[in-house]
Amino acid sequence: MPKHQITTTINGDEVDFGCHAGQTLLDVLRTELGMTGTKNGCGSGDCGACTVIVDGRPVNACLVLGVELQGAEIETIEGMAKGRTLHPLQQKFLDHAALQCGICTPGILNMAKALLEKNPDPTETEVRYGLAGNLCRCTGYDKIVRAVLDAAADMRANG
Amino acid sequence: MGTVTELKYESPETAQAVVALLSGVGPMARIFAGGTDLLVQMHEELIEPTLLIDIKGIPETREIDVTADEIRIGAAVTGAELGEHQELKSRWPGIVEAVELIGSYQVQGRATIGGNLCNASPAADSVPALIAAAAKVIIAGPNGTREVPAEEFSVGPGRTCLAAGEFVTSIVLPKQNQRSGDAYLRFIPRTEMDIAVVGAGACVSLNDDGTCASARLALGAVAPTAKRVAAATDILQGNRLDDGVLAALAKAANDACAPIDDKRGTIEFRTKVAGVLACRAVKIAWQRAENR
Amino acid sequence: MANENSTTNYKWVGKRTRRPDGVDKVTGRARYGDDMTVPGMLYGKILRSPHAHAKILSIDTSKANALKGVKAVLTSAEIPDHPLSQPPYAPIINDMHDISRNVMARDKVLYDGHAVAAVAATSERIARQALKLIDVEYEVLPHVLDPLEAAGRAAPILHEDQFTYSADGLSDKPSNLFRSITGQRGDLDQGFAEADIIVEREFTSEPVHQGYIEPLACIATASEDNCVELWTTTQGHFVIRALCAKLLNMDLAKVRVTASEIGGGFGGKNTVYGEPVAIRLSQMTGRPVRMVMTRTEVFRASGPTVGSRTRIKIGARKDGTITAADAETWYQAGAFKGAPVGRAAETFFSSYTIKNARAVVHDVCVNRPKVAAYRAPGAPMAAYAAEGAINELASRLAMDPVDIRIKNAVREGDESLMGTKYGQIGLLDVLEKVKSHDHYSAPLGNNQGRGFALGYWMHGGGLSSVSAHLLDDGTVTVATGNPDIGGSRSSMRVMAAEELGVDIELIKPIVADTGSMGYSHLTAGSRTTFATGMAVIFAVREIIEKLRALAAKKWRLTIDQVTWEAGQAVASSSSRGGIQSLSLKELAAMATKMGGAIAGHSEINAGGAGAAFSAQLVDVEIDPETGFVTPLRYTVVQDVGRAISPDYVEGQMQGGAVQGIGWALNEAYIYDDQARLQNTGFLDYRMPVASDVPMIDTVLVEVPNPNHPYGVRGVGEPCLVSAPAAVANAVENAIGQTMSSLPLSPPKILKRIDEAQAAGG
């Protein structure tokens, strides 16, 4: 059975990949493309560790198939920093110690980025509900929420 | 020496092509839209289809078509898209709320209203809201299209009324009365990321004098399928929302329950909370009708 | 986020600095267990039992072997057997006989999810398909899930060769009860006779999973000369090496284990699951084998913590003095013996000076996955019962719940029930801080309740090795043998920089593999910052010693004429007025020309980690019509000894509290009547999500541990010990009724409210 040949844009670069019909975007990223920054926590859309952005929307990469992505624009954690400059969310996660083990961090950063694009000035409650699809077992969420609120304030101030 | 069977993927551009594919392959073919139920079932090896038919390339499954009379929602419209549709949100806030409760923001970007319906879970959030709204399900099949009321679509856990070769193309919301409102509430043990233990959808229309002109109440997760509480209509019609009416409403909701004990809740709990949520949902729908 | 009593004498200790591994983790560069690939690797998958208890009559692997792409199929015949341990037993049992059977069932399956066979294939899809082609014939046996029932005479027996062990020897008949641990002092009868009031309660708790987000994953590469390279996500690669080598009869030195970055563990990654199987499959095929568990497998087959059934009785005088306390509890060990019974006995009453006390803890096998450690193993469920009973005692005496604890609190010199003598401890400081905290007296609204509980944990020390190297540009690598699960590299760097008196950026902390370091015990038991941190300090001190010698040599002085101050060797003024100092960088450059590279080592068995206490205040609101619980406010007050990295100390306390919220309210293993696990995913195993919890305020009380150079105590565990008890107490106070069975799920709460209303309450 030949693989499907798909052309997408990942983090601004044109990327071709081959995939079987049942192969998820998560599997394509991690196995076919070696982009392991997108994490595998459950495979059922419950943990959010594989959150990436497809055509402007945050999705669980484990619940998207590679074959349906012809022409899609995909953003992953590997593209979040611009060159050697970390995204404000990445900076604030380091400043606030908003990670312990770090396995949920790429997914949370992507979800937070999507959240702030839609709502640049969220309340604590909005951040919490916005991140409800991203499990973190280490931090109790406190420092994550603070980091996102602080990054939002910075991003508003710096336009 | 055996080999692994291969899954195939097709993305036809017309409903007729979907019907042809379905008719050719039979039950081992699955309709694929948002995939948020289907891919989980495949991951857990609960199902092993041989063909996925992606219907997102068919324009009518992806559109929200608003006319003065009706609103037609394509089966593959996602929760996020419904939430961004201002007209729909102001006319049917309960339905939008229901669909927006399904999963996280990430799931919302993918999960579709048609998928929620076709997965036929007794706990599907959109279904009580659609039943309360008297929505119709539009089905394409080998013999053309047909319409089925939302409350008749699911016939048991995981089972629908779809015949061989049929699939859902869209859902139609009827014309509303002048002063009407809808609402959907569910109970889950956390604030997010759970399956409804009880769901309650309500739709209320008011007379000029403030009494109820008509009402529909439906419950989810308390029976093998989401079901309409017909008695609620009689209890509310012609009346105001006083304590006696609410008590009768709660009792009607309790009586309509035929739930099970499972990992998500007990019979006792579901029955009691169904009454609570029924009253709360009707109150919200009533308020919305008053504010129209 | 108060940081109490913090001294300002330190340059780095107690400061908030960015963690050294942070950038890799926010950019996706960090490599976790599942992020590694090796050329030519095969995919390993495990077939698991659908039955909770059954004899394996036969396994036919021929069809799986015939599938194209399958390179090996394995059953327990490929895993060496080991004799059963014999009494007297160690406090913590690593029984190779049991571990061998847990990684691959031998003649019986003992729980839903028990491994029965494994395959290695060229793709994951082929491996999955191959599992379906393995025919296993079972004879299903009656099962038992409840520990009380399992300990009874009529229960189905899991192990025909297991007999109850006691001081009198072994029982005549096989039993699911493996052993009972008793901690006792004083005269219970007399103590209860002295009491004016006695509270008697029963409490139950269900097994809960550690819930780490990263599934178990490893890659094994076995070579023809009997060497193995293993990459795995673990809390202790030295322990994994020991278990794999012993289990597979290999030489320790030939098994080299590299710990990946670890995506959470909480005790759940302290032992082996797929590793020995991956090694055997690699030996059978001559190719690397990768083994990654699905989330479902993690829930079904990796250890949760114990569930418990507890009876407790506490008596006190009217003034609140506790005169007697007696607890008996049955702990579910899962399919194999080894529930954390000693720790449970230690936990029950060890925060209090109760003259007459007893705790009896039974270790009982049931048809559930073998329990693993989980953050203060055995303690939170004991504290749930003990603190619950003491809260009721306070309530019935109309006494303030903190005051009753102050009245009975242990002090320096007192002993725990299991005989541990307390050194300098901060319990009273913690309790006083709770009373003065504004949360303690903040008003509550309707349907709201405030809970309070105290948690105790005796920390571990143990074996740690560190190797520190000064490089010729003046930078320093500090290698430890402890996986960094929550920021330990940050703390190691801080302590090394503090000792050396240099900028933290000059220090590069590293987690080294088992081939590069001396033995280091697990990153567990809150021991790493204490024990491994101490080894870091000693290793760096050895470097300083060598640098002083080097400077002395250069200056032609004796070493005692050279001191180390603020990152420099300084000649004492009495010896050489002219010479001022040599910096670390200057000395580093000189070193290779004057005798060789400079390194410091430390291989220690650290003792004296000591006890710590965590007090928690939590407010909840209950929806009286649905039983839904909303945690509104949460404060953790804890004696942390000394916070090396306050950010990560707070993070431990916050994370522990939220795990406790989950444990108290919704998390549980749910089985059907065939003892098949019903909630094998995050959807129905309900861990708290961000919108379920409030901010978690922390108060760091710093009463230094005299047995560590900087006063470090463990932090990660006491904060979970008290959390379920505190949340449960808040729920009780919100509804005005006692509740005794975790989780306090909405159906249970609503039922309790309705019962009370029906009773006219």
Side-chain angles (χ1 to χ4, degrees), chain B residues 22-268:
Chain B
L22 279 173
S23 306
V25 179
M28 295 304 278
R30 290 291 167 129
I31 299 293
F32 174 64
T36 53
D37 285 315
L38 186 71
L39 295 184
V40 174
Q41 289 162 8
M42 286 167 61
H43 178 78
E44 300 295 332
E45 299 182 338
L46 300 172
I47 56 167
E48 289 175 71
T50 56
L51 171 65
L52 297 184
I53 306 169
D54 187 342
I55 60 165
K56 296 193 289 293
I58 303 166
E60 62 178 299
T61 71
R62 296 282 302 127
E63 292 163 359
I64 302 175
D65 186 17
V66 181
T67 65
D69 288 344
E70 308 180 327
I71 299 180
R72 199 185 59 77
I73 304 170
V77 174
T78 66
E81 289 162 346
L82 289 177
E84 288 158 9
H85 198 282
Q86 292 311 316
E87 175 81 18
L88 181 67
K89 215 172 164 176
S90 70
R91 274 162 72 169
W92 293 100
I95 286 175
V96 174
E97 281 163 0
V99 179
E100 286 191 320
L101 283 173
I102 303 164
S104 59
Y105 277 101
Q106 292 94 317
V107 168
Q108 282 289 302
R110 295 278 298 169
T112 65
I113 189 165
N116 195 234
L117 192 65
C118 291
N119 191 47
S121 162
D125 286 305
S126 70
V127 180
L130 290 172
I131 294 174
K136 286 174 295 191
V137 183
I138 313 300
I139 296 166
N143 305 317
T145 63
R146 65 182 178 114
E147 288 183 7
V148 170
E151 63 212 85
E152 291 170 21
F153 182 76
S154 174
V155 297
R159 292 188 298 126
T160 70
C161 70
L162 290 175
E166 288 188 329
F167 80 107
V168 175
T169 59
S170 58
I171 289 150
V172 173
L173 306 178
K175 184 181 168 70
Q176 283 168 306
N177 294 336
Q178 199 71 37
R179 295 182 70 200
S180 68
D182 76 333
Y184 175 79
L185 292 174
R186 71 170 181 188
F187 183 87
I188 53 172
R190 292 182 291 184
T191 52
E192 282 283 350
M193 302 305 290
D194 267 313
I195 303 291
V197 180
V198 180
C203 187
V204 173
S205 297
L206 300 180
N207 295 312
D208 289 344
D209 66 357
T211 58
C212 177
S214 67
R216 286 168 66 92
L217 172 70
L219 297 172
V222 295
T225 65
K227 64 188 289 190
R228 189 176 161 209
V229 184
T233 302
D234 298 333
I235 290 165
L236 289 165
Q237 221 155 23
N239 288 318
R240 293 174 196 279
L241 260 194
D242 57 30
D243 288 349
V245 167
L246 284 169
L249 191 66
K251 173 137 197 331
N254 300 150
D255 292 345
C257 291
I260 54 168
D261 281 327
D262 70 1
K263 60 191 169 186
R264 294 175 184 145
T266 60
I267 291 170
E268 187 185 1

Side-chain angles (χ1 to χ4, degrees), chain C residues 119-421:
Chain C
V119 301
T122 51
S123 78
E124 184 158 348
R125 287 185 314 151
I126 294 170
R128 278 181 173 222
Q129 185 65 32
L131 294 185
K132 293 185 190 133
L133 298 175
I134 299 173
D135 290 323
V136 185
E137 202 184 341
Y138 295 101
E139 179 190 331
V140 177
L141 302 169
H143 63 264
V144 61
L145 290 173
D146 180 85
L148 256 175
E149 199 185 319
R153 285 172 184 279
I157 297 292
L158 273 74
H159 305 283
E160 292 295 337
D161 55 359
Q162 175 174 296
F163 300 86
T164 303
Y165 174 63
S166 67
D168 306 330
L170 294 172
S171 61
D172 298 338
K173 287 184 182 165
S175 171
N176 296 324
L177 173 60
F178 168 61
R179 68 174 166 186
S180 307
I181 297 279
T182 301
Q184 187 162 12
R185 69 173 164 230
D187 180 335
L188 279 178
D189 291 339
Q190 192 187 327
F192 282 114
E194 286 171 17
D196 297 315
I197 178 171
I198 291 174
V199 167
E200 277 194 86
R201 292 274 296 268
E202 292 190 9
F203 292 89
T204 71
S205 74
E206 294 301 311
V208 294
H209 197 272
Q210 296 82 358
Y212 41 78
I213 309 300
E214 178 207 28
L216 297 159
C218 66
I219 300 181
T221 308
S223 56
E224 289 73 6
D225 55 353
N226 293 322
C227 292
V228 166
E229 298 268 336
L230 180 69
W231 159 274
T232 187
T233 175
T234 177
Q235 291 176 241
H237 39 312
F238 290 85
V239 169
I240 299 301
R241 177 180 68 177
L243 294 176
C244 288
K246 211 167 173 183
L247 191 68
L248 301 176
N249 299 321
M250 299 184 67
D251 296 332
L252 274 174
K254 291 183 184 168
V255 181
R256 184 176 184 186
V257 186
T258 303
S260 70
E261 291 296 336
I262 175 169
F266 316 106
K269 292 176 182 169
N270 287 357
T271 188
V272 292
Y273 293 101
E275 291 91 344
V277 180
I279 291 173
R280 283 298 294 128
L281 287 170
S282 180
Q283 288 173 334
M284 290 163 75
T285 57
R287 289 172 66 171
V289 174
R290 175 180 194 257
M291 185 83 81
V292 180
M293 276 199 193
T294 63
R295 179 55 52 184
T296 296
E297 289 181 285
V298 168
F299 276 114
R300 288 174 73 202
S302 73
T305 188
V306 299
S308 62
R309 302 282 178 272
T310 304
R311 295 172 187 155
I312 191 164
K313 182 177 172 186
I314 299 190
R317 284 201 289 268
K318 280 183 191 136
D319 68 353
T321 306
I322 301 173
T323 57
D326 189 16
E328 181 170 21
T329 187
W330 286 260
Y331 271 22
Q332 299 163 2
F336 300 95
K337 62 185 176 275
V341 285
R343 289 306 217 155
E346 170 85 15
T347 298
F348 267 103
F349 305 120
S350 290
S351 303
Y352 309 107
T353 54
I354 306 170
K355 285 214 178 74
N356 311 294
R358 179 174 66 177
V360 184
V361 189
H362 306 293
D363 184 352
V364 190
C365 294
V366 294
N367 294 112
R368 298 172 182 260
K370 161 85 166 79
V371 296
Y374 177 26
R375 210 168 184 167
M381 41 304 238
Y384 166 56
E387 294 294 297
I390 291 172
N391 278 329
E392 187 176 337
L393 203 59
S395 159
R396 284 170 53 185
L397 288 168
M399 202 169 166
D400 180 284
V402 178
D403 285 342
I404 196 168
R405 269 108 177 161
I406 290 174
K407 178 129 201 139
N408 294 285
V410 289
R411 292 164 166 77
E412 187 170 349
D414 287 335
E415 278 187 14
S416 80
L417 189 56
M418 299 302 277
T420 313
K421 195 162 192 172

Side-chain angles (χ1 to χ4, degrees), chain A residues 20 30 37 39-41 77 90-91 94-95 97 99-103 109 128 132 135 137-143, chain C residues 18-19 26 28 30 32 34-35 209-210 215 262-264 295 647 650-651 654-655 659 667 688 690 693-696:
Chain A
H20 296 285
R30 293 177 56 83
K39 300 303 178 191
N40 172 24
I77 190 64
Q90 293 172 309
Q91 300 274 7
L94 295 177
D95 290 342
L99 57 144
Q100 283 177 33
C101 82
I103 194 84
L109 286 168
R128 287 186 179 279
L135 287 173
R137 190 60 157 172
C138 293
T139 65
Y141 303 105
D142 184 300
K143 291 181 189 297
Chain C
R18 279 191 175 188
R19 62 193 288 167
V26 299
Y32 293 82
D34 189 18
D35 296 340
H209 197 272
Q210 296 82 358
I262 175 169
R295 179 55 52 184
D647 279 331
E650 291 160 3
Q654 292 163 336
Q659 289 185 1
E667 292 178 36
V693 294
M695 290 296 187
I696 309 293

